[in-house]
Amino acid sequence: MDITITEVASRDGLQNEKHPVSTEQKIELIGRISKAGMKRFEVTSFVSPRAVPALADAEDVVKGVPDRESLIIEALVPNLRGAERAAALKLDEWVCFASASESHSQANSNTSTEEALARLQPVIDLAKQEGVVPVGAIATSFGCPFEGDVPIERVVEVAKRMTDMGVETIKLGDTIGTAWPSRVRELVRAMREALPETVLVLHLHNTRDMSLANVLTGISEGVDRYESALAGVGGCPFAPGATGNISTEDLVHFLHLEGHKTGLDLGKLIEAGHWFETVLERKLPAHLLRAKPVGETVELASTRRAAG
Amino acid sequence: MDITITEVASRDGLQNEKHPVSTEQKIELIGRISKAGMKRFEVTSFVSPRAVPALADAEDVVKGVPDRESLIIEALVPNLRGAERAAALKLDEWVCFASASESHSQANSNTSTEEALARLQPVIDLAKQEGVVPVGAIATSFGCPFEGDVPIERVVEVAKRMTDMGVETIKLGDTIGTAWPSRVRELVRAMREALPETVLVLHLHNTRDMSLANVLTGISEGVDRYESALAGVGGCPFAPGATGNISTEDLVHFLHLEGHKTGLDLGKLIEAGHWFETVLERKLPAHLLRAKPVGETVELASTRRAAG
């Protein structure tokens, strides 16, 4: 299957990052991943700089993206103020989000799910007016840190509200990494039944190591779009020290072994991941930054000498 | 499905461990995991103490296992010398292994696969004479660090040789963590076709983060036996710093979410994993040692206070 990946390292990967990352480094990050063949990026978020200081340079990052016209550039646009900032930059897609969980909506956006949805309509309208594709994203689609289970009907209801407003693509966000395969199957099937025309994107986290099993299930259900972050950066403020987004390197390695096409050069992604470790000055979670890709071998002779 | 897990932390998990672990600590490790409901342990290896000094206390560990008669105790028995040591201890099962890859056999056991297989016959015969169940284990069943791909026919051939010698259970070892789902499916199907009566056990490593996806596929093929190590200890000398065995905590958490039964208490396993971190004096790879199980929630109020 042809799989399309959206790279989210510079947005979801960095929004809670403690280590300073300069605008130039973010632009270099996008450039390095782009050189590995990545065509889609969720580059930043037009959220209030007070709320998320790490992404205060949203405009400058977008302006700096190298070879921008060859890429599809998405950004999170949480409200009309963000939309007005984004409108000046001629992005390809605006990602409009709401939490399926009421408590997470309150904690994350200080608003109810209902109010969050209501605020999306003028953003979606402005997007269309500006010739930008509006995309819906549903946070906590597979579970909430405060409420636990989020019923499938609730997620489908939020998705219906978004599609009623004019969105044709929905990202299902496994915000805290609680999705497991049979739940992925159930939710994807429920979405297909309720909204057969809607394009689905799975945004998975590896917090409990289940992300590749979830991808396997997503693919078996025909989902061909996934989001990942180089080196597996990101994470959840409610699980300190836990693994973050599914890593682009591990995802691409896995997909290629399973016979799928991504258009991406794994070697260049791994190189970019190692460079990203020098930027953040620590080891990052992607497994392919520690272990060679399947098929690459070591020399028997050199190992023997080392053992001797 | 009812799934049986064999805990291998005190054998595969510790055989390459640099941090000293005393015999008493190994016995406590087994005891703590046993209290979580684990019934099967591959406790140690009767390999030469010169070759694997970390397991030189094999006899004392076996003798110290608490409540031994309620457990099924396996140990690796690589040759007749090891078998004679093991025979005195009345174990339940002896694990007799060979590498499917010629180069790995040379590097690991200093012998060809053919010679390794020939050496198993007297061990298997002695096992039967002693009333012990002989079990076969095939290292590098899914790939070799030196040769790369290991053909499925080769693994099946080694398995046939073992069953011809009198073994009724075969462990397929993903020694270096190179298995991926469609290869797991292919090999399991080839084994079922060639040896329909043989019980299959999957011994998976998480080196490239694919182990839970491989379990998902194994289960879809009807495989109901897996091996794992508490906290995800272990690893491969050819991939320094890489993740080791699939972790018992993450495996059990995943299986329960998927609706399978293990008879294990996840909370007690996680407690044991945290204790094991104090023994090895470092953070260990199991994700459930960093993130709460799915369904456990945090308090919204306390998070708000922290954010304020």
Short mmCIF file of all heavy atoms in Angstrom, two decimals, chain B residues 132-188:
data_model
loop_
_atom_site.label_atom_id
_atom_site.label_comp_id
_atom_site.label_asym_id
_atom_site.label_seq_id
_atom_site.Cartn_x
_atom_site.Cartn_y
_atom_site.Cartn_z
N VAL B 132 12.57 -35.53 32.30
CA VAL B 132 12.51 -34.09 32.02
C VAL B 132 12.01 -33.91 30.59
O VAL B 132 12.36 -34.70 29.71
CB VAL B 132 13.92 -33.47 32.19
CG1 VAL B 132 13.93 -32.02 31.72
CG2 VAL B 132 14.39 -33.59 33.63
N VAL B 133 11.21 -32.86 30.35
CA VAL B 133 10.72 -32.59 29.00
C VAL B 133 11.80 -31.83 28.21
O VAL B 133 12.20 -30.74 28.62
CB VAL B 133 9.43 -31.76 29.05
CG1 VAL B 133 8.98 -31.38 27.63
CG2 VAL B 133 8.33 -32.51 29.78
N PRO B 134 12.26 -32.38 27.08
CA PRO B 134 13.21 -31.63 26.26
C PRO B 134 12.46 -30.69 25.31
O PRO B 134 11.44 -31.07 24.73
CB PRO B 134 13.92 -32.73 25.47
CG PRO B 134 12.92 -33.84 25.36
CD PRO B 134 11.98 -33.73 26.54
N VAL B 135 12.97 -29.49 25.19
CA VAL B 135 12.34 -28.47 24.35
C VAL B 135 13.41 -27.95 23.39
O VAL B 135 14.56 -27.79 23.78
CB VAL B 135 11.81 -27.32 25.24
CG1 VAL B 135 11.42 -26.10 24.43
CG2 VAL B 135 10.63 -27.81 26.08
N GLY B 136 13.04 -27.70 22.14
CA GLY B 136 13.99 -27.14 21.20
C GLY B 136 13.87 -25.62 21.10
O GLY B 136 12.78 -25.07 21.24
N ALA B 137 14.99 -24.96 20.91
CA ALA B 137 14.97 -23.50 20.69
C ALA B 137 15.88 -23.20 19.51
O ALA B 137 17.01 -23.69 19.44
CB ALA B 137 15.44 -22.76 21.93
N ILE B 138 15.37 -22.40 18.58
CA ILE B 138 16.13 -22.08 17.38
C ILE B 138 16.50 -20.60 17.41
O ILE B 138 15.63 -19.73 17.25
CB ILE B 138 15.34 -22.41 16.10
CG1 ILE B 138 14.87 -23.88 16.15
CG2 ILE B 138 16.19 -22.15 14.87
CD1 ILE B 138 14.02 -24.30 14.97
N ALA B 139 17.78 -20.33 17.66
CA ALA B 139 18.25 -18.95 17.66
C ALA B 139 18.29 -18.43 16.23
O ALA B 139 18.37 -19.20 15.28
CB ALA B 139 19.63 -18.86 18.31
N THR B 140 18.24 -17.13 16.09
CA THR B 140 18.26 -16.42 14.79
C THR B 140 17.19 -16.94 13.82
O THR B 140 17.41 -17.02 12.62
CB THR B 140 19.66 -16.48 14.10
OG1 THR B 140 19.97 -17.84 13.77
CG2 THR B 140 20.74 -15.91 14.99
N SER B 141 16.01 -17.29 14.35
CA SER B 141 14.93 -17.78 13.50
C SER B 141 14.40 -16.70 12.55
O SER B 141 13.74 -17.00 11.56
CB SER B 141 13.75 -18.25 14.36
OG SER B 141 14.04 -19.46 15.01
N PHE B 142 14.65 -15.43 12.90
CA PHE B 142 14.11 -14.34 12.08
C PHE B 142 15.20 -13.43 11.53
O PHE B 142 14.91 -12.31 11.12
CB PHE B 142 13.12 -13.51 12.90
CG PHE B 142 11.91 -14.28 13.35
CD1 PHE B 142 11.88 -14.90 14.60
CD2 PHE B 142 10.80 -14.38 12.52
CE1 PHE B 142 10.76 -15.60 15.01
CE2 PHE B 142 9.68 -15.08 12.93
CZ PHE B 142 9.65 -15.70 14.18
N GLY B 143 16.45 -13.89 11.57
CA GLY B 143 17.51 -13.05 11.04
C GLY B 143 18.78 -13.20 11.86
O GLY B 143 18.73 -13.55 13.04
N CYS B 144 19.90 -12.96 11.19
CA CYS B 144 21.22 -13.17 11.78
C CYS B 144 22.00 -11.86 11.73
O CYS B 144 21.94 -11.16 10.73
CB CYS B 144 21.93 -14.25 10.97
SG CYS B 144 23.71 -14.34 11.28
N PRO B 145 22.74 -11.54 12.79
CA PRO B 145 23.49 -10.27 12.75
C PRO B 145 24.57 -10.25 11.68
O PRO B 145 24.93 -9.18 11.20
CB PRO B 145 24.10 -10.18 14.16
CG PRO B 145 24.08 -11.57 14.70
CD PRO B 145 22.91 -12.24 14.06
N PHE B 146 25.06 -11.43 11.29
CA PHE B 146 26.17 -11.50 10.32
C PHE B 146 25.68 -11.78 8.90
O PHE B 146 26.21 -11.27 7.93
CB PHE B 146 27.16 -12.59 10.72
CG PHE B 146 27.50 -12.54 12.18
CD1 PHE B 146 27.12 -13.57 13.04
CD2 PHE B 146 28.17 -11.45 12.72
CE1 PHE B 146 27.42 -13.51 14.39
CE2 PHE B 146 28.46 -11.38 14.07
CZ PHE B 146 28.08 -12.41 14.91
N GLU B 147 24.65 -12.61 8.78
CA GLU B 147 24.19 -13.04 7.45
C GLU B 147 22.96 -12.27 6.98
O GLU B 147 22.59 -12.35 5.82
CB GLU B 147 23.86 -14.54 7.47
CG GLU B 147 25.08 -15.40 7.74
CD GLU B 147 24.77 -16.89 7.81
OE1 GLU B 147 23.68 -17.31 7.36
OE2 GLU B 147 25.63 -17.63 8.32
N GLY B 148 22.29 -11.59 7.89
CA GLY B 148 21.06 -10.91 7.51
C GLY B 148 19.91 -11.91 7.49
O GLY B 148 19.63 -12.58 8.48
N ASP B 149 19.30 -12.04 6.33
CA ASP B 149 18.14 -12.92 6.21
C ASP B 149 18.49 -14.38 6.51
O ASP B 149 19.54 -14.87 6.11
CB ASP B 149 17.57 -12.82 4.80
CG ASP B 149 16.20 -13.47 4.69
OD1 ASP B 149 15.31 -13.09 5.48
OD2 ASP B 149 16.02 -14.37 3.86
N VAL B 150 17.61 -15.05 7.24
CA VAL B 150 17.72 -16.50 7.45
C VAL B 150 16.49 -17.13 6.78
O VAL B 150 15.36 -16.85 7.19
CB VAL B 150 17.75 -16.85 8.95
CG1 VAL B 150 17.72 -18.36 9.16
CG2 VAL B 150 19.01 -16.26 9.60
N PRO B 151 16.71 -17.92 5.73
CA PRO B 151 15.56 -18.43 4.97
C PRO B 151 14.63 -19.27 5.85
O PRO B 151 15.07 -20.02 6.72
CB PRO B 151 16.20 -19.30 3.88
CG PRO B 151 17.61 -18.82 3.78
CD PRO B 151 17.99 -18.35 5.15
N ILE B 152 13.35 -19.13 5.60
CA ILE B 152 12.32 -19.87 6.33
C ILE B 152 12.57 -21.38 6.24
O ILE B 152 12.43 -22.11 7.23
CB ILE B 152 10.93 -19.47 5.79
CG1 ILE B 152 10.58 -18.10 6.36
CG2 ILE B 152 9.87 -20.51 6.16
CD1 ILE B 152 9.27 -17.54 5.89
N GLU B 153 12.97 -21.84 5.06
CA GLU B 153 13.19 -23.28 4.86
C GLU B 153 14.29 -23.79 5.80
O GLU B 153 14.25 -24.93 6.27
CB GLU B 153 13.61 -23.59 3.42
CG GLU B 153 12.67 -23.05 2.35
CD GLU B 153 12.77 -21.53 2.18
OE1 GLU B 153 13.89 -21.01 2.08
OE2 GLU B 153 11.70 -20.86 2.19
N ARG B 154 15.27 -22.94 6.02
CA ARG B 154 16.38 -23.31 6.90
C ARG B 154 15.87 -23.50 8.33
O ARG B 154 16.24 -24.47 9.02
CB ARG B 154 17.44 -22.20 6.84
CG ARG B 154 18.55 -22.32 7.81
CD ARG B 154 19.48 -23.44 7.46
NE ARG B 154 20.65 -23.44 8.33
CZ ARG B 154 21.47 -24.46 8.43
NH1 ARG B 154 21.27 -25.57 7.74
NH2 ARG B 154 22.51 -24.39 9.24
N VAL B 155 15.03 -22.58 8.79
CA VAL B 155 14.50 -22.68 10.16
C VAL B 155 13.64 -23.94 10.29
O VAL B 155 13.75 -24.69 11.27
CB VAL B 155 13.69 -21.41 10.52
CG1 VAL B 155 13.15 -21.49 11.96
CG2 VAL B 155 14.53 -20.16 10.33
N VAL B 156 12.82 -24.17 9.30
CA VAL B 156 11.94 -25.34 9.33
C VAL B 156 12.79 -26.63 9.33
O VAL B 156 12.48 -27.59 10.04
CB VAL B 156 10.96 -25.31 8.13
CG1 VAL B 156 10.18 -26.63 8.03
CG2 VAL B 156 10.00 -24.13 8.27
N GLU B 157 13.87 -26.62 8.57
CA GLU B 157 14.75 -27.80 8.51
C GLU B 157 15.36 -28.09 9.89
O GLU B 157 15.38 -29.24 10.34
CB GLU B 157 15.85 -27.50 7.49
CG GLU B 157 16.74 -28.66 7.12
CD GLU B 157 17.98 -28.16 6.37
OE1 GLU B 157 17.83 -27.34 5.44
OE2 GLU B 157 19.11 -28.56 6.75
N VAL B 158 15.84 -27.03 10.55
CA VAL B 158 16.41 -27.22 11.89
C VAL B 158 15.33 -27.73 12.85
O VAL B 158 15.57 -28.62 13.67
CB VAL B 158 17.05 -25.90 12.40
CG1 VAL B 158 17.45 -26.01 13.87
CG2 VAL B 158 18.25 -25.52 11.54
N ALA B 159 14.13 -27.18 12.72
CA ALA B 159 13.02 -27.62 13.59
C ALA B 159 12.70 -29.09 13.35
O ALA B 159 12.47 -29.85 14.30
CB ALA B 159 11.79 -26.75 13.32
N LYS B 160 12.71 -29.50 12.10
CA LYS B 160 12.44 -30.92 11.79
C LYS B 160 13.50 -31.83 12.41
O LYS B 160 13.17 -32.88 12.97
CB LYS B 160 12.46 -31.12 10.26
CG LYS B 160 11.16 -30.79 9.58
CD LYS B 160 11.29 -31.16 8.09
CE LYS B 160 10.07 -30.78 7.30
NZ LYS B 160 10.35 -30.78 5.85
N ARG B 161 14.75 -31.40 12.32
CA ARG B 161 15.82 -32.19 12.93
C ARG B 161 15.58 -32.34 14.43
O ARG B 161 15.77 -33.41 15.01
CB ARG B 161 17.19 -31.51 12.67
CG ARG B 161 17.63 -31.53 11.22
CD ARG B 161 18.09 -32.91 10.80
NE ARG B 161 19.18 -33.38 11.64
CZ ARG B 161 20.47 -33.04 11.49
NH1 ARG B 161 20.83 -32.27 10.49
NH2 ARG B 161 21.39 -33.49 12.32
N MET B 162 15.16 -31.25 15.06
CA MET B 162 14.92 -31.30 16.51
C MET B 162 13.74 -32.22 16.85
O MET B 162 13.81 -32.99 17.80
CB MET B 162 14.66 -29.89 17.05
CG MET B 162 15.92 -29.02 17.10
SD MET B 162 15.50 -27.36 17.70
CE MET B 162 17.16 -26.71 18.03
N THR B 163 12.67 -32.10 16.08
CA THR B 163 11.51 -32.95 16.39
C THR B 163 11.84 -34.42 16.10
O THR B 163 11.39 -35.30 16.82
CB THR B 163 10.26 -32.51 15.60
OG1 THR B 163 10.59 -32.46 14.21
CG2 THR B 163 9.78 -31.14 16.05
N ASP B 164 12.65 -34.66 15.07
CA ASP B 164 13.09 -36.04 14.81
C ASP B 164 13.85 -36.60 16.01
O ASP B 164 13.81 -37.80 16.28
CB ASP B 164 14.02 -36.09 13.58
CG ASP B 164 13.26 -35.93 12.28
OD1 ASP B 164 12.01 -36.03 12.31
OD2 ASP B 164 13.90 -35.68 11.24
N MET B 165 14.54 -35.73 16.73
CA MET B 165 15.30 -36.17 17.91
C MET B 165 14.41 -36.38 19.14
O MET B 165 14.90 -36.82 20.18
CB MET B 165 16.37 -35.14 18.27
CG MET B 165 17.51 -35.08 17.27
SD MET B 165 18.76 -33.94 17.92
CE MET B 165 19.40 -33.27 16.40
N GLY B 166 13.15 -35.94 19.05
CA GLY B 166 12.25 -36.24 20.17
C GLY B 166 11.69 -35.02 20.90
O GLY B 166 11.11 -35.14 21.98
N VAL B 167 11.85 -33.84 20.28
CA VAL B 167 11.35 -32.61 20.90
C VAL B 167 9.93 -32.34 20.43
O VAL B 167 9.62 -32.53 19.26
CB VAL B 167 12.32 -31.47 20.51
CG1 VAL B 167 11.62 -30.14 20.43
CG2 VAL B 167 13.50 -31.44 21.47
N GLU B 168 9.04 -31.93 21.32
CA GLU B 168 7.65 -31.68 20.91
C GLU B 168 7.25 -30.21 20.96
O GLU B 168 6.15 -29.83 20.57
CB GLU B 168 6.70 -32.52 21.80
CG GLU B 168 6.86 -34.01 21.52
CD GLU B 168 6.10 -34.90 22.48
OE1 GLU B 168 5.35 -34.37 23.34
OE2 GLU B 168 6.25 -36.13 22.39
N THR B 169 8.15 -29.39 21.51
CA THR B 169 7.91 -27.94 21.57
C THR B 169 9.12 -27.24 20.96
O THR B 169 10.26 -27.62 21.26
CB THR B 169 7.73 -27.50 23.03
OG1 THR B 169 6.59 -28.14 23.57
CG2 THR B 169 7.57 -25.99 23.15
N ILE B 170 8.86 -26.22 20.14
CA ILE B 170 9.96 -25.46 19.53
C ILE B 170 9.77 -23.99 19.84
O ILE B 170 8.70 -23.42 19.63
CB ILE B 170 10.00 -25.64 17.99
CG1 ILE B 170 10.21 -27.11 17.60
CG2 ILE B 170 11.04 -24.71 17.37
CD1 ILE B 170 11.64 -27.54 17.40
N LYS B 171 10.86 -23.38 20.35
CA LYS B 171 10.88 -21.93 20.56
C LYS B 171 11.56 -21.29 19.37
O LYS B 171 12.70 -21.63 19.06
CB LYS B 171 11.66 -21.59 21.83
CG LYS B 171 11.11 -22.23 23.10
CD LYS B 171 11.90 -21.74 24.31
CE LYS B 171 11.39 -22.37 25.59
NZ LYS B 171 11.91 -21.70 26.80
N LEU B 172 10.87 -20.36 18.74
CA LEU B 172 11.44 -19.61 17.63
C LEU B 172 12.02 -18.32 18.20
O LEU B 172 11.28 -17.46 18.66
CB LEU B 172 10.38 -19.32 16.58
CG LEU B 172 9.77 -20.56 15.91
CD1 LEU B 172 8.56 -20.16 15.05
CD2 LEU B 172 10.81 -21.30 15.06
N GLY B 173 13.34 -18.22 18.19
CA GLY B 173 14.00 -17.09 18.83
C GLY B 173 14.28 -15.95 17.86
O GLY B 173 15.00 -16.13 16.88
N ASP B 174 13.71 -14.78 18.18
CA ASP B 174 14.05 -13.57 17.41
C ASP B 174 15.23 -12.92 18.12
O ASP B 174 15.13 -11.84 18.70
CB ASP B 174 12.84 -12.64 17.36
CG ASP B 174 13.12 -11.40 16.53
OD1 ASP B 174 14.07 -11.43 15.72
OD2 ASP B 174 12.39 -10.41 16.69
N THR B 175 16.36 -13.62 18.04
CA THR B 175 17.55 -13.33 18.85
C THR B 175 17.98 -11.86 18.81
O THR B 175 18.39 -11.30 19.83
CB THR B 175 18.70 -14.23 18.36
OG1 THR B 175 18.19 -15.57 18.28
CG2 THR B 175 19.88 -14.18 19.29
N ILE B 176 17.90 -11.26 17.63
CA ILE B 176 18.39 -9.88 17.51
C ILE B 176 17.27 -8.89 17.17
O ILE B 176 17.53 -7.76 16.77
CB ILE B 176 19.54 -9.78 16.47
CG1 ILE B 176 19.08 -10.34 15.10
CG2 ILE B 176 20.78 -10.51 16.97
CD1 ILE B 176 19.99 -9.93 13.95
N GLY B 177 16.02 -9.33 17.35
CA GLY B 177 14.91 -8.38 17.18
C GLY B 177 14.71 -7.92 15.76
O GLY B 177 14.46 -6.73 15.52
N THR B 178 14.80 -8.84 14.81
CA THR B 178 14.61 -8.47 13.41
C THR B 178 13.30 -9.01 12.82
O THR B 178 13.06 -8.84 11.63
CB THR B 178 15.78 -8.99 12.54
OG1 THR B 178 16.02 -10.37 12.86
CG2 THR B 178 17.05 -8.20 12.79
N ALA B 179 12.49 -9.66 13.64
CA ALA B 179 11.21 -10.19 13.11
C ALA B 179 10.25 -9.05 12.83
O ALA B 179 10.23 -8.05 13.53
CB ALA B 179 10.59 -11.14 14.13
N TRP B 180 9.48 -9.21 11.78
CA TRP B 180 8.38 -8.27 11.49
C TRP B 180 7.14 -9.10 11.21
O TRP B 180 7.24 -10.30 10.93
CB TRP B 180 8.74 -7.33 10.35
CG TRP B 180 8.90 -7.95 9.00
CD1 TRP B 180 7.97 -8.04 8.02
CD2 TRP B 180 10.08 -8.59 8.48
NE1 TRP B 180 8.49 -8.68 6.92
CE2 TRP B 180 9.77 -9.03 7.17
CE3 TRP B 180 11.37 -8.82 8.99
CZ2 TRP B 180 10.70 -9.70 6.36
CZ3 TRP B 180 12.28 -9.48 8.18
CH2 TRP B 180 11.95 -9.92 6.89
N PRO B 181 5.95 -8.48 11.29
CA PRO B 181 4.73 -9.28 11.29
C PRO B 181 4.55 -10.25 10.13
O PRO B 181 4.23 -11.41 10.34
CB PRO B 181 3.63 -8.22 11.33
CG PRO B 181 4.25 -7.09 12.09
CD PRO B 181 5.68 -7.06 11.62
N SER B 182 4.77 -9.78 8.89
CA SER B 182 4.46 -10.72 7.80
C SER B 182 5.46 -11.88 7.78
O SER B 182 5.11 -12.99 7.38
CB SER B 182 4.35 -10.01 6.45
OG SER B 182 5.36 -9.08 6.27
N ARG B 183 6.68 -11.66 8.27
CA ARG B 183 7.63 -12.76 8.38
C ARG B 183 7.21 -13.73 9.50
O ARG B 183 7.36 -14.95 9.37
CB ARG B 183 9.06 -12.22 8.62
CG ARG B 183 10.11 -13.26 8.93
CD ARG B 183 10.21 -14.39 7.92
NE ARG B 183 10.74 -14.02 6.64
CZ ARG B 183 11.99 -14.27 6.23
NH1 ARG B 183 12.84 -14.87 7.03
NH2 ARG B 183 12.38 -13.92 5.03
N VAL B 184 6.70 -13.19 10.59
CA VAL B 184 6.19 -14.05 11.67
C VAL B 184 5.08 -14.95 11.11
O VAL B 184 5.07 -16.17 11.32
CB VAL B 184 5.66 -13.21 12.85
CG1 VAL B 184 4.89 -14.08 13.86
CG2 VAL B 184 6.82 -12.48 13.55
N ARG B 185 4.16 -14.35 10.38
CA ARG B 185 3.05 -15.11 9.81
C ARG B 185 3.58 -16.22 8.89
O ARG B 185 3.17 -17.38 9.00
CB ARG B 185 2.12 -14.17 9.04
CG ARG B 185 0.96 -14.91 8.34
CD ARG B 185 -0.02 -13.95 7.68
NE ARG B 185 -0.64 -13.09 8.67
CZ ARG B 185 -0.47 -11.78 8.77
NH1 ARG B 185 0.28 -11.15 7.89
NH2 ARG B 185 -1.05 -11.09 9.72
N GLU B 186 4.51 -15.86 8.01
CA GLU B 186 5.07 -16.82 7.05
C GLU B 186 5.75 -17.99 7.75
O GLU B 186 5.54 -19.15 7.40
CB GLU B 186 6.13 -16.11 6.21
CG GLU B 186 5.77 -15.80 4.79
CD GLU B 186 7.03 -15.28 4.05
OE1 GLU B 186 7.58 -14.23 4.48
OE2 GLU B 186 7.47 -15.92 3.10
N LEU B 187 6.57 -17.66 8.76
CA LEU B 187 7.32 -18.73 9.43
C LEU B 187 6.39 -19.61 10.25
O LEU B 187 6.51 -20.84 10.24
CB LEU B 187 8.44 -18.14 10.30
CG LEU B 187 9.29 -19.16 11.06
CD1 LEU B 187 9.89 -20.21 10.13
CD2 LEU B 187 10.41 -18.47 11.86
N VAL B 188 5.44 -18.99 10.95
CA VAL B 188 4.49 -19.79 11.74
C VAL B 188 3.71 -20.72 10.82
O VAL B 188 3.54 -21.91 11.11
CB VAL B 188 3.55 -18.88 12.57
CG1 VAL B 188 2.39 -19.68 13.14
CG2 VAL B 188 4.33 -18.19 13.70
#
